[in-house]
Amino acid sequence: MTSGPLHEFADAFEKMPGLDGPVSVFNDASEKLTENEDLREILSGSRIGTHLHPGIVHMPIGMAVGALVVDLTLGDEGNAAAGVLSGATLATAVPAIVTGLADYERIPSHEYRRLGAAHALANVAANTLTLVSLVGRLAGARTLARLTLAGAVTSYLVGGLLGGHLAHSEDSPTDEANQDESFLE
């Protein structure tokens, strides 16, 4: 059994009844998205033999980190590039969201769906903060843009840690699903 601070952090979300509302919303969205078997197979990655979501999530996270690094290191010269990278963050978040919802459908228990909902909500916060940063940047509010972008990167980190725990911890709820070879058939 896995132990440690991240495990305890993740366990706390699994036990939060306050996440049951978002779980219901994500259940409904996931079910609607994956109703069509062909679409479900494409979005889950089963047609190519691997999950798509874990790979795709690197794009918005990387873009957001890149935007913050450019903004903090290049000063005024980096403002436009940070804006472009922030826009790219939001654009690449779309396939990450869609493939994440397709994977959410596979989470086996309500407690783990709470953890999945916490992961998704952290990323909703990150995307919202990235959008606020981009709007602030376009309006000339550079301090607001930097602060909200730093908050977005932090939220992506939290979301990534929770998602990584959900998918890869020793007692991961997807261990059985990952060992099920029918996923790849």
Side-chain angles (χ1 to χ4, degrees):
M1 175 150 198
T2 306
S3 63
L6 179 57
H7 186 77
E8 292 170 15
F9 182 64
D11 274 353
F13 288 107
E14 293 170 13
K15 296 173 182 157
M16 275 187 200
L19 287 169
D20 290 345
V23 165
S24 179
V25 170
F26 293 127
N27 283 344
D28 291 346
S30 179
E31 286 174 18
K32 286 178 184 164
L33 180 66
T34 59
E35 279 177 340
N36 179 292
E37 186 175 337
D38 289 332
L39 183 59
R40 179 179 45 78
E41 287 178 0
I42 290 167
L43 295 176
S44 71
S46 64
R47 288 215 175 153
I48 62 171
T50 190
H51 296 276
L52 292 177
H53 182 69
I56 289 174
V57 298
H58 295 286
M59 292 186 298
I61 295 168
M63 297 285 182
V65 170
L68 185 60
V69 168
V70 163
D71 198 22
L72 294 176
T73 60
L74 297 181
D76 290 339
E77 295 82 30
N79 190 45
V84 169
L85 287 166
S86 293
T89 299
L90 297 170
T92 58
V94 173
I97 292 164
V98 173
T99 57
L101 279 171
D103 278 359
Y104 189 82
E105 186 258 338
R106 295 179 51 250
I107 298 175
S109 74
H110 186 74
E111 289 76 21
Y112 291 133
R113 284 183 180 234
R114 285 178 178 163
L115 179 58
H119 160 71
L121 290 171
N123 289 306
V124 166
N127 292 326
T128 302
L129 289 166
T130 301
L131 179 60
V132 170
S133 175
L134 180 57
V135 170
R137 187 174 307 283
L138 293 172
R142 189 87 186 273
T143 301
L144 172 68
R146 282 182 170 171
L147 290 173
T148 52
L149 188 55
V153 169
T154 302
S155 294
Y156 279 127
L157 173 64
V158 171
L161 288 170
L162 293 175
H165 180 80
L166 187 64
H168 301 295
S169 68
E170 185 177 301
D171 58 344
S172 165
T174 57
D175 270 354
E176 289 178 27
N178 287 337
Q179 293 171 10
D180 179 8
E181 294 300 319
S182 68
F183 170 78
L184 301 177
E185 294 173 354

